[in-house]
Amino acid sequence: AQSVTQLDSQVPVFEEAPVELRCNYSSSVSVYLFWYVQYPNQGLQLLLKYLSGSTLVKGINGFEAEFNKSQTSFHLRKPSVHISDTAEYFCAVVTVNTGGFKTIFGAGTRLFVKA
Amino acid sequence: GAVVSQHPSRVICKSGTSVKIECRSLDFQATTMFWYRQFPKKSLMLMATSNEGSKATYEQGVEKDKFLINHASLTLSTLTVTSAHPEDSSFYICSARGDSGSYRREQYFGPGTRLTVT
């Protein structure tokens, strides 16, 4: 069975500091990996995705993530955060096989950027 | 990227009434649509998956007679909360997926609907 673990429920960080939001997954089949951001009372916005190819993926708003197959991780990073980055971040794993299309979301990490 | 809309964005209804939420894919054909429910400060909980023209597949614990899902066309799915009660108050999010190219490998999310039952 597939699972996604976001190791930190909350991450407080000062403005302009770097940040890493951790995501680990387990799956017996090939996966696609996604990071979404959710601002209060809004839906999910895609930050970046890994489907194939280069393991370092760059997304919107200066975020990037690296797919590490041996460690089954897909950590999200940003070298310098802004107050506006305060939001909930969800890691998601997608499998597509004969059993169908399945998405599993992590529990979310609340990023709180302080001035 | 692909666009998915939801209507209404917010709705307040009285206990015992029914509420319909629409989810539309605006620029691609959504062969599969998903409905999620999100509780405050929680992750998304998949309620059901619907394929165009077929009955929805509900997740365990989700009452199919209470949460009616219709996916009658490739661009529209509706979720009707029947005889709503205050405990149904939540944030409902739909997403859509196509069957070709990148539309097949990811879901495109709507902006969500905030339902408040008084």
Side-chain angles (χ1 to χ4, degrees):
Chain A
Q2 292 83 27
S3 67
V4 179
T5 302
Q6 290 184 242
L7 296 162
D8 306 297
S9 59
Q10 295 186 67
V11 173
V13 64
F14 285 104
E15 191 175 21
E16 297 183 5
V19 71
E20 178 180 82
L21 306 184
R22 296 179 292 170
C23 174
N24 286 86
Y25 69 93
S26 67
S27 176
S28 57
V29 299
S30 297
V31 298
Y32 303 124
L33 298 159
F34 299 81
W35 274 99
Y36 294 92
V37 60
Q38 185 180 34
Y39 299 101
N41 291 312
Q42 294 186 27
L44 272 65
Q45 180 181 3
L46 179 66
L47 269 180
L48 48 78
K49 60 189 176 186
Y50 171 78
L51 302 180
S52 65
S54 173
T55 57
L56 181 62
V57 180
K58 293 188 183 297
I60 63 171
N61 301 343
F63 284 93
E64 65 178 33
E66 186 157 18
F67 171 51
N68 188 317
K69 189 174 183 179
S70 62
Q71 296 186 5
T72 60
S73 67
F74 191 55
H75 301 331
L76 181 70
R77 302 184 184 98
K78 185 169 182 177
S80 176
V81 294
H82 301 290
I83 297 287
S84 59
D85 292 323
T86 294
E88 191 82 22
Y89 292 79
F90 293 98
C91 178
V93 168
V94 170
T95 57
V96 182
N97 53 33
T98 53
F101 179 101
K102 186 172 184 179
T103 301
I104 298 175
F105 286 92
T109 297
R110 172 85 176 153
L111 175 63
F112 179 60
V113 182
K114 300 177 286 186
Chain B
V3 178
V4 175
S5 69
Q6 273 184 249
H7 178 80
S9 58
R10 292 175 179 269
V11 58
I12 300 173
C13 71
K14 292 186 176 180
S15 185
T17 61
S18 295
V19 174
K20 180 184 286 187
I21 303 170
E22 291 186 350
C23 177
R24 294 181 184 273
S25 59
L26 299 183
D27 52 0
F28 71 103
Q29 293 185 326
T31 49
T32 307
M33 284 190 169
F34 307 84
W35 285 96
Y36 293 86
R37 182 174 179 175
Q38 187 178 32
F39 293 98
K41 300 183 179 180
K42 298 290 185 183
S43 188
L44 281 72
M45 181 191 80
L46 180 64
M47 298 173 66
T49 302
S50 71
N51 292 297
E52 185 264 339
S54 302
K55 288 185 179 180
T57 301
Y58 289 81
E59 295 298 302
Q60 192 172 8
V62 178
E63 297 177 63
K64 60 181 180 182
D65 293 331
K66 180 168 189 60
F67 298 100
L68 301 178
I69 292 172
N70 183 282
H71 190 173
S73 78
L74 286 171
T75 58
L76 173 64
S77 176
T78 59
L79 167 67
T80 301
V81 182
T82 63
S83 186
H85 291 285
E87 57 264 31
D88 298 325
S89 298
S90 195
F91 194 56
Y92 293 87
I93 304 175
C94 76
S95 72
R97 168 180 170 252
D99 62 358
S100 63
S102 66
Y103 296 121
R104 182 176 176 272
R105 292 178 294 186
E106 62 180 284
Q107 295 171 240
Y108 298 89
F109 288 84
T113 297
R114 172 73 60 192
L115 170 63
T116 304
V117 185
T118 60

